[in-house]
Amino acid sequence: MVLEAWVKNTTGRKQPLSVRLSLASAIEEVWGGTYEVNGSDYMITSDKAIEPGEEWDPTIKVLGSDHGYQFKGTKNGQGPAQKETEPLQTELLLRAGGSVC
């Protein structure tokens, strides 16, 4: 299966963005970003900084026949200040779609 997501930068600064994804299967590849895995949760981070108001559109290729997934956002403004180079973990405006290959 291939998942397509669109994540909007709702902050006031240019930043890498991150989104958390819970999957029943495993990721084979991500285009437009990188990922770290922790059990069935994946943190996907943009491979470049995204301008305020712009969208990042990662594409995620998923292995296996169980296509259950859930995108989860993270909050901004609740933790310590982040360095300019750190990925932003923000509230998420997300649209997603998928297709089986």
Side-chain angles (χ1 to χ4, degrees):
M1 174 177 70
V2 175
L3 290 172
E4 295 178 271
W6 295 267
V7 184
K8 187 172 186 175
N9 182 349
T10 60
T11 72
R13 65 182 188 187
K14 183 177 178 179
Q15 286 270 127
L17 300 178
S18 293
V19 63
R20 193 167 47 126
L21 171 64
S22 181
L23 284 171
S25 295
I27 288 179
E28 180 178 345
E29 191 169 358
V30 173
W31 295 279
T34 59
Y35 68 91
E36 295 179 16
V37 63
N38 182 7
S40 63
D41 285 341
Y42 293 81
M43 182 63 76
I44 301 168
T45 301
S46 62
D47 54 6
K48 63 180 183 178
I50 309 301
E51 294 284 347
E54 296 295 321
E55 289 185 338
W56 162 51
D57 58 344
T59 302
I60 303 128
K61 186 173 183 183
V62 179
L63 294 171
S65 59
D66 187 343
H67 298 141
Y69 69 93
Q70 180 179 10
F71 280 99
K72 302 174 180 181
T74 54
K75 296 179 183 177
N76 68 2
Q78 300 301 311
Q82 295 177 315
K83 299 176 188 171
E84 284 295 319
T85 56
E86 285 184 326
L88 178 66
Q89 297 181 0
T90 183
E91 283 192 43
L92 174 64
L93 295 179
L94 172 76
R95 299 173 309 184
S99 61
V100 177
C101 306

